[in-house]
């Protein structure tokens, strides 16, 4: 089987996964202890109002019918309206407001480790047991070991007092930004706005990406160390390939293979971990919205957000398969890796 | 090297050492570990003439592969070549070359075929890509020209349907085909000397025979010199012109192949020959040499083979034998046959022989070099 048909098969496999995930979500939401009608009318306990709310929400319909409606709405991307958190507001609109912040944060918490941790790890792997290797490795371990909530609080504390500590004010440095507010994400194509948004998200992204950065460094180092000693690297040297090209062509690409699942795995973790960091930095992203929706039993919102998360993780999975397929021609060969 | 012809040294003895393609002299490759210094290759000398195949034979751990890597300049820290070592290729001294200078020698002058074809090709690039890489480095070919040449090379090494296979990945090749591809890659560099490090060990017997045949054909076609490394005396008999037997980092016997098989002088060589099936007339069962190759971690002060040698005597534990010429048996008049064993030269009394070895070994480190006159 060629690797691209393998890839296509992997993508097709995602459809039943999305279906299954949404079904589980439905089961948990409708069969769990949550009574949305009660949540909507609040504490008044008016039975009259209660039944009418139930009817208007369609909760008096048989369960299977609710299930069919629910699936149809999700797969046609009709997410409906929020019931409690922001009553009457289309879910789409809410996602439109909250999601970009989370995506912006998630994007940088994947990119920073990738462009800082990975190169550091590769560098350490190429120069093992030198001073710079020790500094990088030790720093990586310490950095990785710091818990996110603690790191987040420290960052906020240090940055708000940067004037006294370092003699310059972080908030007004280069561009005016706040430390604990959602970043401005309007008109990002204007360099100034882009930089401002980047600067605003930087502390949060550093905290959220801290573990990934340490992991990617450590594993990148090991991967390079191992690949460097592969026979094909010696063969390349023996045929006179210059050292620099050996590193770029023969070492790096192979060293990336074990890193693919690490990087995408980190991306998964970021989905869950962002709630905490979003709270400390008051970013008010999807994590916050999801939390609020769950606490308030806002069923359409919770269901839609779950669906959104499922799509996101399936998307990450597809990216992972795509990376594999691009980097490693052995993918899908002889049934391995399936 | 013309400059060296005046120096008739006992180590490489009679061979007219003037215009051989490769001349290795007193090569010492050591590896530093925390506790000791391993003398993986300990003062060996040999040469390879143009178009000649020299077999380097010995058990695993005898230093054969390290010799090959030393010639290729592939010995990295914590390993190094000691200062007295000399490797001359085509008149050029290779020891002490910088990494960049060595890059021009690797592939273009000396190419190498490794033992395990499964791991010597990079899994993420097509076979064609890896051959073309060599073509662009050593012949300046690129693009379509390079692809065509790569296909031609694959055909040369007997890969069917080369035009299609050139764009396949190594994992789509069988073991034997991969070794052919590796050989094609080595040839792409257009080398003068090909070092084959156990090129058939990982392959099954029929494929092994095919690869040996292929190498012989290519040698004739391209006028290659070959350094053939193996632990298999049977393979040596098939492909080599001359043989150097290695034991614990030293060359213990060196002779033309027929001479060596007909008239093995060193007890170790005799042991090796007794351990192969077909050459021993009337032997019902194979003998093996008891024990293992020691790891040399200090300059030799004795015969390293003594603990396993059936003919060892007292002096073997106190005097380090140097290579000396021994009487030849085959018709070949200028057969150059040396053995490093206190039993030789056989026309001297044992005391005389031992004294001679003791004297030759006297200047520490200098070894066999500069002891001219005395031996002939
Ligand atoms: S020197 Fe002594 S121990 Fe060594 S091979 Fe000769 S006889 Fe055997």
């Amino acid at each position: 089987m060629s690797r691209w048909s393998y890839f296509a098969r992997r993508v097709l496999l995602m459809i039943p996964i999305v279906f299954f995930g949404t079904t589980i979500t439905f089961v948990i939401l409708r069969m769990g202890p949550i009574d949305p009608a009660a949540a909507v009318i609040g504490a008044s306990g008016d039975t009259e109002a209660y039944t009418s709310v139930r009817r208007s929400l369609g909760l008096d319909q048989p369960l299977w019918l609710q299930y069919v409606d629910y699936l149809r709405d999700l797969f046609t991307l009709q997410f409906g309206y929020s019931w409690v958190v922001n009553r009457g507001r289309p879910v789409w609109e809410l996602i439109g407001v909250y999601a970009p912040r989370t995506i912006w944060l998630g994007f940088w918490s994947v990119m920073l480790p990738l462009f800082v941790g990975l190169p550091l790890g590769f560098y350490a792997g190429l120069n093992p047991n030198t001073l710079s290797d020790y500094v990088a490795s030790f720093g990586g371990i310490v950095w990785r070991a710091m818990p996110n909530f603690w790191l987040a609080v420290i960052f906020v504390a240090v940055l708000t007092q940067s004037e006294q500590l370092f003699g310059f004010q972080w908030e007004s440095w280069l561009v005016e930004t706040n430390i604990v507010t959602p970043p401005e994400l309007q008109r990002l194509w204007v360099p100034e706005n882009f930089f401002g948004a980047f600067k605003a998200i930087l502390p949060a992204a550093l905290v959220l990406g801290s573990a990934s950065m340490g992991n990617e460094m450590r594993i990148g180092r090991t991967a390079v160390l191992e690949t460097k000693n592969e026979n094909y690297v010696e063969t390349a040297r023996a045929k006179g390939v210059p050292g620099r090209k050996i590193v770029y062509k023969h070492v790096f690409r192979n060293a990336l293979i074990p890193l693919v699942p690490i990087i995408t795995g980190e991306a998964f973790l970021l989905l869950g971990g962002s709630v905490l960091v979003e709270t400390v930095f008051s970013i008010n992203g999807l994590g916050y919205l999801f939390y609020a929706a769950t606490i308030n039993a806002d069923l359409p919102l919770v269901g839609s957000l779950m669906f959104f998360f499922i799509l996101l993780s399936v998307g990450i999975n597809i990216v992972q398969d795509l990376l594999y397929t691009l980097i490693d021609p052995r993918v899908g060969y002889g049934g391995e890796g399936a | 090297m013309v400059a060296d012809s005046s120096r008739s040294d006992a180590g490489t003895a009679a061979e007219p050492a003037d215009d051989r393609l490769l001349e290795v002299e007193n090569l010492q490759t050591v590896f530093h570990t925390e506790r000791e210094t391993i003398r993986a290759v300990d003062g060996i000398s040999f040469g390879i003439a143009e178009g000649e195949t020299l077999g380097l034979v010995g058990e695993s751990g005898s230093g054969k592969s390290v010799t090959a890597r030393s010639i290729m300049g592939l010995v990295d820290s914590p390993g190094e070549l000691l200062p007295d070592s000399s490797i001359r290729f085509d008149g050029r001294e290779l020891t002490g070359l910088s990494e960049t200078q060595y890059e021009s020698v690797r592939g273009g002058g000396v190419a190498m075929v490794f033992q395990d074809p499964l791991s010597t090709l990079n899994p993420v690039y097509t076979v064609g890509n890896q051959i073309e890489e060599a073509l662009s480095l050593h012949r300046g070919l690129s693009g379509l020209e390079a692809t065509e040449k790569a296909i031609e090379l694959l055909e040369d090494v007997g890969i069917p349907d080369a035009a299609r296979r050139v764009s396949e990945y190594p994992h789509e090749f069988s073991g034997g085909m991969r070794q052919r591809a590796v050989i094609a890659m080595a040839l792409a560099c257009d080398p003068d000397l090909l070092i084959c490090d156990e090129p058939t060990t990982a392959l099954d017997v029929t494929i092994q025979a095919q690869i040996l045949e292929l190498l012989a054909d290519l040698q004739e076609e391209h006028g290659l010199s070959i350094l053939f490394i193996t632990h298999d005396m049977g393979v040596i008999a098939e492909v080599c012109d001359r043989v150097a037997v290695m034991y614990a980092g030293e060359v213990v016997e060196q002779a033309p192949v027929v001479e060596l098989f007909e008239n093995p002088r060193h007890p170790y060589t005799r042991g090796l020959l007794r351990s192969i099936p077909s050459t021993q007339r009337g032997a019902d069962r194979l003998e093996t040499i008891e024990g293992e190759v020691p790891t040399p971690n200090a300059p030799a002060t004795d015969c390293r083979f003594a603990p396993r040698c059936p003919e060892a005597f007292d002096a073997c534990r106190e005097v380090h034998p140097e290579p000396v010429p021994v009487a030849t048996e085959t018709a070949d008049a200028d057969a150059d046959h040396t053995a490093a064993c206190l039993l030789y030269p056989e026309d001297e009394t044992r005391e005389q022989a031992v004294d001679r070895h003791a004297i030759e070994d006297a200047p520490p480190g200098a070894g066999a070099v500069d002891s001219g006159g005395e031996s002939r």
Side-chain angles (χ1 to χ4, degrees), chain A residues 195-271:
Chain A
F195 186 75
F198 173 68
K199 190 189 153 196
I201 209 74
L202 184 63
L206 271 178
V207 170
L208 193 53
S210 62
S212 322
M213 204 178 302
N215 275 345
E216 281 167 29
M217 211 203 86
R218 204 168 41 87
I219 292 164
R221 176 179 185 270
T222 322
V224 166
L225 268 179
E226 274 172 13
T227 314
K228 233 176 39 169
N229 290 322
E230 290 284 352
N231 287 343
Y232 51 76
V233 172
E234 194 175 41
T235 312
R237 279 183 75 192
K239 70 179 176 189
V241 182
R244 195 173 275 267
K245 195 174 174 202
I246 286 184
V247 170
Y248 286 130
K249 180 174 175 181
H250 293 276
V251 176
F252 280 176
R253 185 157 164 194
N254 281 288
L256 277 177
I257 295 172
L259 277 159
V260 168
I262 305 295
I263 295 167
T264 49
E266 306 289 357
F268 277 121
L269 286 182
L270 297 184
L271 281 183

Side-chain angles (χ1 to χ4, degrees), chain B residues 266-267 303 305-306 309 311-312 316 321 341-343:
Chain B
H266 197 283
C303 173
F305 187 54
C309 180
E311 292 171 58
C316 298
C341 169
L342 299 185
L343 295 173

Side-chain angles (χ1 to χ4, degrees), chain A residues 143 150-160 179 203-204 206-207 281:
Chain A
W143 183 242
W150 184 80
L151 205 58
V153 172
I154 294 292
F155 259 62
V156 171
V158 166
L159 289 182
T160 44
I179 294 165
L206 271 178
V207 170
F281 287 96

Side-chain angles (χ1 to χ4, degrees), chain B residues 83-103:
Chain B
D84 273 347
S85 313
S86 159
I87 300 168
R88 281 189 309 280
F89 176 75
D90 211 4
R92 183 181 182 194
E93 180 63 50
L94 299 186
T95 54
L97 286 190
S98 73
E99 185 67 19
T100 348
Q101 287 169 319
Y102 231 119
E103 274 158 17

